[in-house]
Amino acid sequence: MAQTKTPLTKLTWSEQTELVGLVFSVVSQTNATLYPQYTIGLHAWFLDQVRQFNPQLSQYLHDGQSEKPFTISDLEGEIKVQGKQLQLQAKQTYRWYLNALSPEVVEWLEAWLDKLPATIDLRNAPLEISQVAIANPPTTYQHLLSTKTPKSLNLSFVSPTSFRRKKNHFPLPLPKNVFHSYLRRWNDFSNLPYPQDEFLDWIDEYVVINRHQLQTTRVAAGKRGTVTGFVGAIEYHLAKAAFKQPEFVELFSALGQLAPYCGTGHKTTFGLGQTRLGWTETTPSIETLAVETQLAQRIAELTTELMKTQKRTGGTRALNVSQIRATILARQERGETLKNIAQELDMSYETVKTYAKIARKALNY
């Protein structure tokens, strides 16, 4: 097991806590190169930490078919662009956010912090953990319901955010999509479920957009394929008639408070959909997004070409296989080894090697 050290400040919370968000201050000891999909490595490192201390919880987090009771962010801080890769700066402090959405994960976090590793073992870029602090305060779902209800809610999407709609990506924060995203997590973890259809009809009727400042981007996300998403800020406002149903007004407010913990949209366990309360102009740097967009575009191009070589294109299997093979080929083109790609895609080396060979043959490379 990795070397451990005690955080500079010991963090504790009550036994009733159901949600909490942490921010890790981490330092790269050297100028280190990052591949654009490095959040896969952060995701894998976290699950491996859970596995070492609680294999049963790790299995649930890895394989569970319900909503995932945690989210992670990418690294915040000064990240340079070097060719087609990203570069961390020596002795520079970066921030990494981790949120827990269920009592089981909250309890595990508290025990884990007492045996915290000295570093986050990110490939090619070990990050020394210098401090851990509370980012989103320890709370309960019931307490979120008791928060004061504002007429307006400002949310900022600080990493690319997207939804799934009719088997495609939907890169717009329409109120119904956003609050459906939050309600799914709420109903899974709060033990205070609300009727989904009735509430979402209310959202569609009474929540309006006052203003927004959004930018569309395309990134490679998760273990395969690409995501078309958005970053920026938005203000939602409750129409006067909304207050005729006070229980939904309370839920609207509670879900807004939940947003920074659970994130917005899909692939939040891979750094997408990071959400903050309030209106902020802070977004990922254009240069960093450009590197991620280049990889996403290449994966999309290869997926299209590989789909043309598929004999059967009905259903989703052909698309899924093509996306995986395109992801492998695009990352290999950027200088990554098949061994590393296999580890991060949670696939056997031989399978990845075979997929790369098949893809190259299909495209006459």
Side-chain angles (χ1 to χ4, degrees), residues 110-147:
E110 188 168 24
W112 175 61
L113 289 175
D114 285 336
K115 302 176 182 179
L116 189 68
T119 60
I120 294 177
D121 187 18
L122 190 60
R123 173 163 58 89
N124 298 334
L127 302 170
E128 180 184 331
I129 300 172
S130 62
Q131 182 60 283
V132 185
I134 299 291
N136 295 312
T139 190
T140 66
Y141 288 92
Q142 183 63 57
H143 181 73
L144 293 183
L145 274 176
S146 67
T147 57

Side-chain angles (χ1 to χ4, degrees), residues 229-276:
F230 57 88
V231 292
I234 195 164
E235 180 181 343
Y236 300 110
H237 184 78
L238 288 178
K240 186 176 180 180
F243 290 85
K244 294 178 181 178
Q245 291 177 272
E247 72 281 9
F248 284 167
V249 173
E250 287 183 351
L251 183 59
F252 167 82
S253 178
L255 294 182
Q257 300 299 312
L258 177 64
Y261 297 89
C262 71
T264 305
H266 66 154
K267 295 187 182 293
T268 53
T269 60
F270 289 95
L272 295 192
Q274 285 288 298
T275 307
R276 307 278 168 79

Side-chain angles (χ1 to χ4, degrees), residues 5 59 63 79 94 104 118 122 159 178 182 186 192 213 222 225 248 287 313 318 352:
K5 71 174 187 178
Q59 190 71 26
D63 298 332
I79 299 178
Y94 297 89
E104 294 79 10
L122 190 60
S159 70
V178 169
Y182 303 152
W186 179 278
L192 300 166
Q213 183 175 319
F248 284 167
E287 293 82 5
T313 57
V352 169

Side-chain angles (χ1 to χ4, degrees), residues 168-202:
N168 292 300
H169 301 297
F170 187 75
L172 286 173
L174 297 183
K176 193 170 183 177
N177 294 91
V178 169
F179 284 88
H180 184 203
S181 167
Y182 303 152
L183 185 62
R184 291 200 315 269
R185 276 87 165 186
W186 179 278
N187 282 347
D188 255 25
F189 304 124
S190 71
N191 293 318
L192 300 166
Y194 280 79
Q196 176 176 290
D197 292 344
E198 188 179 349
F199 175 70
L200 293 179
D201 286 344
W202 178 88

